[in-house]
Amino acid sequence: MDTMTDDLYRDITEFAHDTPAWVQHTAEVWTELGLLLFGVLFIVAWWRSRRGDPRAVAIAVLAPLVTAVAYVCSELIKSGIDEERPCRAVSGALAPLVACPPHGDWSFPSNHSTIAGAAAVALAVAWPRIAALTLPMAVLMAFSRVFVGVHYPHDVAVGLILGAVLAFLLVRLATRPVARVVESMRGSSTGVVRWFAGPGPATYATPHVPVSHRR
């Protein structure tokens, strides 16, 4: 029996087939390129946080970690629900723009969307000024999974929400203990450990004023 999400899937994939070839190619590439771009942003966020306080470093370090946890949770849910991919299950739908994943690579929720939602929110917490970049990136990445024909709309919607909520909660819960670890690392005798934790905010000693110059 057809459902509302089947109809929406058909509408989106039909729209995808009507778009110019360059749009289709961009969507195909973006589903994977978005992951790489998030990875680059994780590194930049950590690097810029190294001169901040321990809490800033903790959040930046947690960003990729909570994203990985969100992915694992998504994969566990997916293996328990066993929803077939729409590119095989929806009758009358056009062929997907990319190869339909093999049977057993289940559809719900979307791992890509979960990763995107988690990465976007974690980076926005670590570096609020780039929220205007990461949040639209995540939405576009999720939409592209339906656009190319490998996910239902509800797969990507739930994936985005799952990733975003998990990332926000995990960062809130783990920031304080991780910040204490960062603070300890900054006092380590091992150079690599101190380098990873960063020098922290610049401190300036009060200049010494000779006694003869004091009034």
Side-chain angles (χ1 to χ4, degrees):
M1 182 187 303
D2 285 351
T3 64
M4 183 185 303
T5 194
D6 288 351
D7 291 338
L8 185 55
Y9 171 80
R10 288 193 198 92
D11 290 341
I12 293 173
T13 51
E14 287 172 7
F15 166 73
H17 277 266
D18 289 338
T19 58
W22 69 267
V23 174
Q24 297 177 16
H25 181 66
T26 300
E28 294 171 29
V29 172
W30 177 244
T31 61
E32 305 301 334
L33 183 61
L35 296 176
L36 178 61
L37 184 52
F38 276 126
V40 171
L41 289 174
F42 284 144
I43 296 172
V44 175
W46 159 72
W47 183 259
R48 69 183 297 276
S49 74
R50 292 170 66 255
R51 293 192 176 277
D53 60 28
R55 184 177 180 276
V57 180
I59 295 173
V61 169
L62 282 167
L65 298 180
V66 300
T67 300
V69 171
Y71 163 73
V72 171
C73 291
S74 172
E75 191 62 33
L76 291 173
I77 295 170
K78 179 180 295 219
S79 63
I81 293 180
D82 297 356
E83 178 189 75
E84 187 59 272
R85 294 278 181 164
C87 38
R88 269 189 297 274
V90 177
S91 61
L94 296 177
L97 299 180
V98 298
C100 191
H103 179 74
D105 185 353
W106 307 114
S107 191
F108 179 87
S110 163
N111 285 342
H112 280 75
S113 301
T114 302
I115 291 171
V121 169
L123 283 165
V125 175
W127 189 358
R129 296 180 69 176
I130 65 167
L133 170 65
T134 62
L135 299 179
M137 273 177 58
V139 172
L140 286 173
M141 190 169 164
F143 178 75
S144 73
R145 300 302 288 166
V146 183
F147 187 91
V148 300
V150 295
H151 275 292
Y152 289 102
H154 65 262
D155 296 339
V156 301
V158 171
L160 277 175
I161 294 169
L162 174 66
V165 171
L166 282 175
F168 181 78
L169 293 178
L170 291 173
V171 168
R172 290 292 298 272
L173 289 172
T175 296
R176 185 173 296 178
V178 174
R180 287 198 290 266
V181 173
V182 171
E183 196 165 5
S184 298
M185 291 172 67
R186 285 179 170 174
S188 172
S189 59
T190 305
V192 173
V193 174
R194 292 198 312 272
W195 174 83
F196 181 84
T203 56
Y204 301 94
T206 302
H208 176 69
V209 179
V211 175
S212 61
H213 289 181
R214 294 177 185 173
R215 293 185 180 182

